[in-house]
């Protein structure tokens, strides 16, 4: 009984502390230490639980999967600070401007492309808010429709791979799935990887973009004054329209193919693909720094592409007992290509440093990465103490007692996560809620871990748009023109939150939308 009281009090205290605005990492860690001391004094938990904490921290710092986080963050920051994203927004807006509602359609296309190259929602929303919102208002778009479109397009980085939320969800669900199988007596547990979630999120992400586009088309058809076409002078792509479009779109698409394609094709792990993406983003940024830098960057990109192709067809591992002549030639060629890539990357970094971008990129990447890992460490201590107080058993009993069996339990968890999204950031929800509820859910019959992860990711995406504390609303409010009121932003995002909930319902009814592609790729 004491365990149950302390467990509930601990969760409630942490939630109340988070609502005060106290830094998340310290709120979780401080709450855990306080209740650990209470549990120690009352005999509710042994001291040995806290002795496991250093091992948990060491496990986080040596986790290969989590190395992908700073690399994906770096990729997004480079594309945002080097103005590559701005060029993409401007070109797509001119390309679709002749169509009624075309400017809104270009916002969703650019949002999807940036989501597939960055996965950093804040940078995308700020960039699109600065570059796309003023032209939409200037050309007569409804304030609420313009604000809602920019906010919704900016949050696509939550669900379209490579997404930071999918990386942390994949890590947390992988651990929870192994724990669930061990609890069921399977001592050779299967694993759920970040790549599985990336593959599972592709179709739902594209479905979400499609529904956004259909909504924009419907509004433009029913209320033409809300989404007019652009005048001819605003659609000018210059003397060479094809070259303008190719220069803006092709590098981004190539980066998507290199990163996401290598993961889904099994050529690279998410961490390896993130490294390739970071290098590719740096080369794309250097390509905009003059003809000489462009030539070196493109040559380096070609060498990197050749290296990826070579890796797919030739076994380049060293130290084998038997090495054929073809493998020896492949290893020598790979070494030469690596040297070329290294030289080109050093030149690109030097060029960015000369233009004053390197310092700001490094600082922004470090800030975001440190924030994520600080929350992860605090949440790890919180979940460890919560488990020591018997909270995990309490959650398992509560979910098992839900009417409707596994479906009722999943529905309850989805409802709780949606409610928490009104007040908490997605990282707080992932690191606090998922380790507590996922092991219990995955022990139930018929719950696929990939489907559960994608459902959680779509649900968490709504947390970016739901008032009063949706981060996207704050990002957009900070860069929106004065004539766009907060009420306009709230009204604008409401239809898109409804669309996200509709996608959640579709995934509930048709789980194969999330599970078919991973099974086809990985079996």
């Amino acid at each position: 009984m004491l365990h149950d009281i302390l467990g509930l009090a601990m969760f409630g205290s942490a939630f109340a502390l988070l609502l005060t605005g106290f830094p998340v990492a310290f709120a979780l860690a401080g709450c855990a230490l306080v209740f650990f001391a209470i549990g120690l004094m009352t005999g509710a938990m042994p001291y040995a639980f806290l002795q496991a904490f250093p091992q948990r921290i060491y496990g986080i710092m040596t986790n290969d999967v989590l190395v992908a986080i700073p690399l994906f963050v770096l990729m997004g920051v480079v594309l945002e600070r080097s103005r590559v994203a701005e060029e993409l927004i401007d070109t797509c807006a001119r390309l679709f401007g002749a169509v009624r509602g075309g400017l809104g359609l270009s916002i969703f296309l650019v949002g999807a492309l940036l989501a597939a190259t960055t996965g950093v929602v804040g940078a995308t929303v700020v960039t699109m808010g600065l570059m796309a919102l003023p032209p939409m208002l200037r050309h007569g778009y409804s304030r609420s429709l313009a604000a809602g479109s920019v906010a919704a397009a900016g949050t696509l980085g939550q669900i379209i791979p490579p997404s930071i939320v999918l990386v942390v969800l994949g890590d947390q669900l992988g651990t929870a799935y192994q724990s669930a199988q061990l609890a069921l007596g399977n001592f050779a547990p299967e694993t759920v990887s970040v790549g599985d979630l990336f593959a599972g999120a592709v179709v739902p992400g594209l479905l979400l973009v499609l529904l956004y586009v259909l909504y924009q088309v419907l509004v433009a058809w029913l209320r033409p004054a809300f989404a007019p076409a652009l005048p001819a002078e605003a659609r000018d792509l210059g003397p060479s329209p094809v070259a303008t479009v190719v220069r803006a779109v092709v590098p981004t698409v190539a980066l998507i193919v290199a990163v996401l394609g290598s993961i889904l094709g099994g050529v690279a792990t998410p961490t390896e693909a993130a490294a390739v993406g970071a290098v590719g983003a740096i080369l794309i940024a250097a390509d905009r720094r003059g003809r000489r830098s462009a030539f070196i960057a493109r040559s380096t990109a070609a060498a990197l592409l050749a290296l990826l192709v070579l890796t797919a067809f030739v076994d380049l591992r060293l130290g084998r007992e038997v090495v054929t002549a073809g493998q020896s030639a492949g290893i020598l060629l790979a070494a030469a290509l690596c040297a070329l890539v290294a030289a080109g990357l050093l030149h690109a970094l030097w060029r960015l440093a000369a233009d004053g971008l390197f310092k700001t990129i490094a600082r922004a990447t470090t800030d975001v990465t440190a924030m994520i890992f600080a929350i992860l460490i605090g949440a790890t201590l919180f979940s460890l103490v919560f488990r020591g107080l018997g909270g995990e058993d309490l959650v398992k009993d509560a979910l098992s007692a839900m009417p409707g069996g596994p479906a009722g339990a999943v529905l309850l968890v989805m409802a709780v996560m949606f409610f928490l999204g009104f007040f908490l950031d997605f990282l707080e929800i992932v690191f606090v809620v998922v380790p507590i509820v996922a092991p219990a859910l995955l022990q139930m019959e018929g719950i696929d871990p990939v489907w559960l992860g994608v459902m959680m990711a779509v649900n968490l995406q709504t947390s970016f748009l739901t008032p009063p504390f949706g981060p996207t609303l704050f990002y957009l409010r900070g860069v929106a023109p004065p004539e766009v009121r907060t009420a306009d932003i709230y009204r604008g995002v409401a239809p898109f939150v409804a669309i996200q909930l509709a996608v959640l319902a579709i995934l509930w009814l048709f789980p194969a939308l999330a599970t078919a592609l991973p099974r086809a790729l990985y079996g």
Side-chain angles (χ1 to χ4, degrees):
M1 184 64 180
L2 181 60
H3 283 79
D4 295 345
I5 294 174
L6 288 177
L8 290 173
M10 180 181 178
F11 191 83
S13 300
F15 181 66
L17 195 58
L18 291 173
L19 292 181
T20 65
F22 197 74
V24 177
F26 303 114
L28 294 175
C31 185
L33 290 175
V34 168
F35 277 86
F36 170 74
I38 294 174
L40 200 62
M41 290 186 293
T42 58
M45 69 177 297
Y47 180 76
F49 263 90
L50 199 61
Q51 290 178 321
F53 183 59
Q55 296 176 348
R56 295 289 187 94
I57 302 302
Y58 183 77
I60 292 172
M61 295 299 105
T62 57
N63 190 331
D64 292 338
V65 173
L66 296 179
V67 175
I69 292 177
L71 293 172
F72 281 134
V73 172
L74 174 62
M75 183 169 65
V77 172
V78 168
L79 292 177
E80 185 254 330
R81 296 299 171 93
S82 61
R83 309 181 76 87
V84 173
E86 293 182 12
E87 182 179 352
L88 183 63
I89 292 172
D90 182 65
T91 302
C92 289
R94 295 174 185 272
L95 186 64
F96 292 97
V99 182
R100 196 166 63 193
L103 189 52
L105 298 180
S106 69
I107 294 302
F108 295 126
L109 174 62
V110 172
L113 291 175
L114 292 180
T117 53
T118 66
V120 183
V121 172
T124 304
V125 172
V126 169
T127 301
M128 297 182 70
L130 290 171
M131 294 300 300
L133 190 55
M136 294 179 80
L137 299 174
R138 188 168 59 249
H139 292 297
Y141 271 68
S142 161
R143 289 197 299 262
S144 59
L145 177 63
S149 299
V150 170
T155 60
L156 287 172
Q158 280 285 90
I159 186 63
I160 294 180
S163 160
I164 299 299
V165 69
L166 292 176
V167 174
V168 295
L169 256 179
D171 177 67
Q172 296 294 318
L173 278 177
T175 303
Y177 190 44
Q178 288 188 343
S179 300
Q181 291 181 89
L182 290 172
L184 293 173
N186 180 9
F187 297 104
E190 300 176 1
T191 59
V192 176
S193 68
V194 174
D196 293 328
L197 284 191
F198 279 6
V202 169
V203 174
L206 294 178
L207 175 62
L208 192 61
V209 175
L210 176 62
L211 292 180
Y212 283 173
V213 168
L214 290 177
Y215 172 75
Q216 187 78 31
V217 171
L218 185 63
V219 171
W221 178 54
L222 295 177
R223 296 190 172 183
F226 278 30
L230 299 186
E233 62 273 13
R235 305 195 303 264
D236 183 25
L237 286 168
S240 181
V242 175
T244 301
V245 173
V246 167
R247 173 180 169 82
V249 177
V250 168
T252 304
V253 174
L255 191 61
I256 294 171
V257 172
V259 176
L260 195 54
S262 60
I263 296 172
L264 300 182
V267 177
T269 66
T271 302
E272 293 166 344
V276 172
V279 171
I282 292 171
L283 294 178
I284 291 174
D287 182 70
R288 268 68 174 171
R289 304 290 152 185
R291 290 188 177 181
R292 181 185 176 191
S293 295
F295 174 77
I296 296 175
R298 293 171 187 178
S299 301
T300 306
L304 183 61
L305 179 61
L307 188 60
L308 289 174
V309 173
L310 185 65
T311 303
F313 291 99
V314 181
D315 186 357
L316 300 177
R317 291 175 298 172
L318 301 176
R320 295 183 306 274
E321 294 182 1
V322 179
V323 181
T324 65
Q327 289 172 336
S328 298
I331 291 172
L332 291 176
L333 178 58
L337 291 172
C338 286
L340 183 58
V341 170
L345 181 60
L346 287 175
H347 177 271
L349 291 173
W350 170 81
R351 197 69 184 85
L352 292 178
D355 290 346
L357 289 174
F358 184 80
K359 183 178 180 180
T360 59
I361 289 171
R363 183 183 294 275
T365 303
T366 302
D367 287 345
V368 175
T369 304
M371 179 266 294
I372 293 174
F373 278 88
I375 295 175
L376 177 54
I377 291 173
T380 299
L381 180 58
F382 180 87
S383 62
L384 183 66
V385 175
F386 187 76
R387 185 174 291 112
L389 292 174
E392 189 175 276
D393 295 331
L394 182 65
V395 171
K396 180 181 177 181
D397 294 340
L399 293 176
S400 300
M402 281 295 299
V410 173
L411 187 60
L412 173 64
V413 170
M414 291 296 119
V416 170
M417 292 179 71
F418 179 72
F419 171 75
L420 292 177
F422 283 86
F423 308 100
L424 303 180
D425 184 70
F426 80 95
L427 285 172
E428 301 159 23
I429 300 174
V430 170
F431 290 143
V432 175
V433 177
V434 174
I436 293 173
V437 302
L441 287 177
L442 294 175
Q443 291 181 45
M444 298 180 179
E445 185 177 357
I447 297 181
D448 186 283
V450 174
W451 171 77
L452 180 63
V454 175
M455 288 278 289
M456 288 180 170
V458 175
N459 197 346
L460 288 170
Q461 188 178 0
T462 63
S463 69
F464 267 76
L465 293 177
T466 47
F469 299 121
T472 297
L473 307 179
F474 289 111
Y475 295 144
L476 189 58
R477 176 66 278 171
V479 298
E483 63 266 25
V484 178
R485 299 170 300 172
T486 302
D488 295 325
I489 298 176
Y490 283 2
R491 280 198 302 269
V493 300
F496 295 102
V497 172
I499 291 173
Q500 291 173 353
L501 294 177
V503 171
L504 200 62
I506 292 171
L507 283 173
W508 179 276
L509 297 174
F510 304 101
L513 291 174
T515 59
L517 184 57
R519 287 176 181 169
L521 292 175
Y522 309 123

